[in-house]
Amino acid sequence: QSLLAVAELLEQAREPEPEATPAYASLADLDTDPPPPRCWVIDQWLPRGTVTALFGGGGIGKSLLIQQAATCIGNGVGIFGATVTRGPVLAYLCEDDNNEVRRRQRDIFAHLGRSPAYSAEGLHIAGRAGCENVLLTFGADRLPVPGPFLGTVERECGRIRPAVLMLDNIAQMFGGIENDRYMVTAFANLLAGIAHRFDCAVLLLGHVAKMQNSEYSGSTAWEAAVRPRLWMGRREDGLIQLHRRKANYAGQASIVMEYQHGALVEIDESRRDESAAVRAAEPAVLEALATFTAPHGAHGPAPAGRKNLLTVGKKNRLLHRPEVSGRRG
């Protein structure tokens, strides 16, 4: 009888488990039960519940930018000319240690005029230089295998419930071949799953290729598998430009920034052009002012018919006095 029971158990183990029915979207009740509006962590730039990729050349300031954005999100301060949804931030910066994170953060607080004692709450930023940072790798059969750091990231997302998870960068966390479309898509899908499960935005940083004007490196799946793709580039005048190159949920846009005292400062180019025009015109205005206000002759009043700004102004003041003009005050 015991042998029969064992045989039954073995038979049940051989039976395949029934496949789960896919969760189809409910469409017939859209009029009565509309879907909620899309949520943004940074309006038009960083949507919640999906993956955004940010690419740029080495040393251009990607890590600084996301740490500055993290500070704004954690404190409800606008950035990129957009409003933010305040919430906790979880960031792993794999090319810096914690001392560098702290040095950079001191400059960011100074730029924003905020006190560390009152503005650091909600900022969970770890410098992981020299640590094991792989989230996903692949076996000999090319099937995905969870990396040693994945469990830590998922556990911390469950504990902190961040508004955004920032991962810096692809080279440290992706244990596959960057030109392999399948591997790249599997990695992006893993991050999308984290974004869905923990209702957060995921911001993934990556480097560009060596070729000039490259906007990312590796397979085109790095662009296809994410919703927004951002790109940082340096202009010929030295200013840094952040482009919203791919934007499934918003239009393309760009902002201009300048590195100042350890922070990236947004530049209003329209006002910058006006200031440049004023500076260019200033010498001519000063020269004209000196000419019109200069006295004519070494002694005595200016000759008849010769006027300057001072004499005209004096005459106007006299004419407007009641005893001269005949008007009563």
Side-chain angles (χ1 to χ4, degrees):
Q1 189 174 3
S2 60
L3 290 175
L4 182 59
V6 171
E8 289 178 354
L9 289 174
L10 290 174
E11 188 64 27
Q12 292 174 5
R14 293 191 190 97
E15 293 179 1
E17 294 183 2
E19 293 184 2
T21 302
Y24 298 107
S26 176
L27 304 177
D29 58 350
L30 282 172
D31 289 335
T32 58
D33 185 19
R38 182 171 291 111
C39 294
W40 297 89
V41 179
I42 303 177
D43 189 39
Q44 306 301 304
W45 288 90
L46 189 59
R48 202 159 186 152
T50 190
V51 183
T52 298
L54 167 61
F55 291 92
I60 200 169
K62 298 185 299 298
S63 300
L64 170 60
L65 179 64
I66 68 164
Q67 192 167 335
Q68 197 166 318
T71 307
C72 291
I73 293 167
N75 289 276
V77 177
I79 190 172
F80 306 157
T83 58
V84 306
T85 300
R86 185 176 183 178
V89 177
L90 183 58
Y92 296 110
L93 313 184
C94 300
E95 294 183 342
D96 299 302
D97 60 21
N98 278 340
N99 282 329
E100 182 58 34
V101 169
R102 296 178 73 240
R103 282 189 286 268
R104 190 183 293 143
Q105 191 64 49
R106 180 181 56 187
D107 292 337
I108 292 171
F109 279 143
H111 165 65
L112 295 174
R114 304 192 72 89
S115 165
Y118 293 98
S119 303
E121 185 179 359
L123 298 181
H124 307 272
I125 305 173
R128 291 187 54 85
C131 300
E132 177 56 75
N133 298 311
V134 175
L135 295 176
L136 190 70
T137 186
F138 296 84
D141 54 4
R142 298 180 69 244
L143 292 179
V145 178
F149 188 45
L150 179 60
T152 301
V153 171
E154 292 189 327
R155 183 184 68 248
E156 290 300 283
C157 282
R159 182 177 72 87
I160 295 169
R161 291 287 170 175
V164 56
L165 167 66
M166 298 178 169
L167 303 173
D168 180 14
N169 59 44
I170 289 170
Q172 293 269 352
M173 297 184 167
F174 173 60
I177 302 170
E178 68 172 9
N179 291 307
D180 188 307
R181 181 179 295 273
Y182 165 74
M183 291 183 180
V184 170
T185 304
F187 181 65
N189 197 44
L190 170 74
L191 300 182
I194 292 174
H196 281 290
R197 286 199 306 279
F198 298 106
D199 187 29
C200 65
V202 174
L203 180 59
L204 175 67
L205 271 63
H207 291 97
V208 298
K210 289 182 178 180
M211 67 184 71
Q212 190 174 6
N213 298 323
S214 170
E215 295 188 8
Y216 56 90
S217 179
S219 169
T220 54
W222 288 115
E223 177 172 44
V226 299
R227 296 297 84 191
R229 178 179 66 81
L230 312 179
W231 173 59
M232 287 179 71
R234 193 180 300 278
R235 305 191 325 190
E236 291 183 358
D237 60 5
L239 295 178
I240 298 168
Q241 201 153 11
L242 176 66
H243 304 270
R244 197 162 65 214
R245 281 298 202 225
K246 177 187 177 183
N248 287 50
Y249 308 141
Q252 292 189 343
S254 63
I255 61 169
V256 180
M257 299 173 290
E258 184 177 39
Y259 181 85
Q260 295 180 11
H261 307 294
L264 291 171
V265 180
E266 296 172 38
I267 302 295
D268 186 338
E269 289 204 282
S270 62
R271 293 186 178 181
R272 191 167 178 262
D273 293 341
E274 290 174 4
S275 299
V278 170
R279 287 194 300 271
E282 186 176 359
V285 172
L286 292 176
E287 183 180 356
L289 187 61
T291 300
F292 285 116
T293 59
H296 297 276
H299 303 285
R306 301 290 298 275
K307 300 178 181 179
N308 61 29
L309 293 180
L310 295 179
T311 58
V312 171
K314 183 177 180 180
K315 182 178 180 181
N316 286 338
R317 287 195 298 274
L318 288 171
L319 290 175
H320 284 82
R321 290 171 57 183
E323 61 269 25
V324 175
S325 63
R327 294 179 299 171
R328 285 190 158 181

